[in-house]
Amino acid sequence: MTRAPRMIQSIERSAAILEIIAQAGGGARLQEIATISGIGKTTAHNILQTLAQLGYVQRRSGDMRYHLGGRVLNLSRIAGDDHALRTRTRPALESIAKNSGAVVFLAVPSGDKVAYLDILNPHDPAMAAALLQTRETLEGSAVGLVFLAFVPGLGRRVLSTRTHALDGDSLNRIEDVRVKGYSLDLETFRPGWNAVAIPWRENGEVRASICVSGPAETLPRHRLIHLSWMMMKQVEKASVQ
């Protein structure tokens, strides 16, 4: 039996604080950070002071909020390139869209929410444009379940901050995704719509999720499962190429 890794509390708390600042639009007050994180105000202040000294957060003149610092933004630019990810996944997305005839989404985790980078075959272009500009919660959606199941630390973070949103049934669904390799959403996230999502991995790490979605009458459960196998084959083919 594999032992769970020992978590270093100070690092876990620092990561949580940085995520909270990011989710607040890049700036958050000490009281807000302490309340959301559940960390004592004095402890949160001490961690923020350390992060400020290291350049991961900063204060601005006349502003009581803590903002993400240059080191975080630089790391983001170095490690992440949304345009390059869209380019790499496009052939697989197009093939999946052609084979399914449904709407295909490319999503990435953004803090503890979901952001959409690409949408193919949108039935409603206005809705698609709006989704590309917004972030959605992880809980309930097919892509969200993929990230909760496969992105290290993310499920733990959501569990610690939104315990009421993740009940026993949700936890069972997350475990089911880990076992099967795909997630289903049967009219849970959007009434009248079903969806199936699978992970997109690079170097063994889940970087994104690909989702097929459409009206429930055209995408019943058995067809979603069949589509998940097709999607996995297309992703595997793209990875080999």
Side-chain angles (χ1 to χ4, degrees):
M1 181 176 178
T2 304
R3 293 180 59 186
R6 182 174 176 271
M7 302 292 287
I8 299 175
Q9 188 180 58
S10 60
I11 296 177
E12 186 178 9
R13 287 176 167 179
S14 298
I17 286 173
L18 290 173
E19 288 184 5
I20 289 167
I21 296 173
Q23 291 156 21
R29 290 174 176 266
L30 172 60
Q31 184 61 59
E32 179 184 2
I33 292 168
T35 300
I36 295 174
S37 67
I39 301 170
K41 192 172 180 179
T42 300
T43 302
H45 178 264
N46 291 337
I47 293 173
L48 284 162
Q49 291 297 101
T50 302
L51 291 172
Q53 289 295 318
L54 295 172
Y56 290 103
V57 301
Q58 61 178 338
R59 298 284 294 277
R60 297 173 183 172
S61 178
D63 191 339
M64 296 298 293
R65 295 175 298 169
Y66 288 87
H67 297 264
L68 294 178
R71 290 189 73 179
V72 170
L73 301 177
N74 287 339
L75 285 173
S76 176
R77 293 188 190 101
I78 293 169
D81 187 335
D82 289 347
H83 176 71
L85 181 60
R86 276 194 295 267
T87 300
R88 290 194 297 273
T89 58
R90 219 3 144 91
L93 295 179
E94 290 176 346
S95 181
I96 290 169
K98 180 179 178 181
N99 282 283
S100 67
V103 185
V104 180
F105 300 87
L106 175 67
V108 293
S110 177
D112 60 358
K113 292 190 177 182
V114 169
Y116 295 97
L117 297 186
D118 208 353
I119 302 177
L120 278 67
N121 287 352
H123 292 207
D124 185 343
M127 181 196 76
L131 279 177
L132 291 172
Q133 300 297 321
T134 60
R135 296 184 302 162
E136 296 185 333
T137 59
L138 291 162
E139 302 93 316
S141 71
V143 292
L145 287 170
V146 166
F147 296 140
L148 289 172
F150 295 116
V151 177
L154 185 58
R156 178 186 176 92
R157 170 71 186 142
V158 173
L159 279 171
S160 67
T161 58
R162 300 205 289 270
T163 53
H164 295 296
L166 289 177
D167 55 18
D169 181 62
S170 297
L171 297 177
N172 289 336
R173 291 179 68 194
I174 292 170
E175 184 58 32
D176 192 54
V177 174
R178 290 195 186 103
V179 173
K180 295 180 178 177
Y182 64 85
S183 66
L184 297 179
D185 170 18
L186 303 177
E187 299 190 65
T188 301
F189 201 68
R190 289 191 179 88
W193 280 60
N194 287 347
V196 60
I198 65 168
W200 171 275
R201 291 182 171 88
E202 294 183 351
N203 299 319
E205 179 183 353
V206 173
R207 290 287 312 280
S209 175
I210 297 175
C211 176
V212 167
S213 183
E217 62 268 21
T218 62
L219 290 179
R221 182 188 181 94
H222 70 274
R223 186 169 181 229
L224 292 175
I225 295 173
H226 178 76
L227 287 174
S228 73
W229 301 334
M230 178 273 291
M231 293 162 69
M232 290 178 189
K233 290 180 181 178
Q234 295 300 328
V235 166
E236 182 180 0
K237 184 187 299 183
S239 300
V240 170
Q241 291 175 345

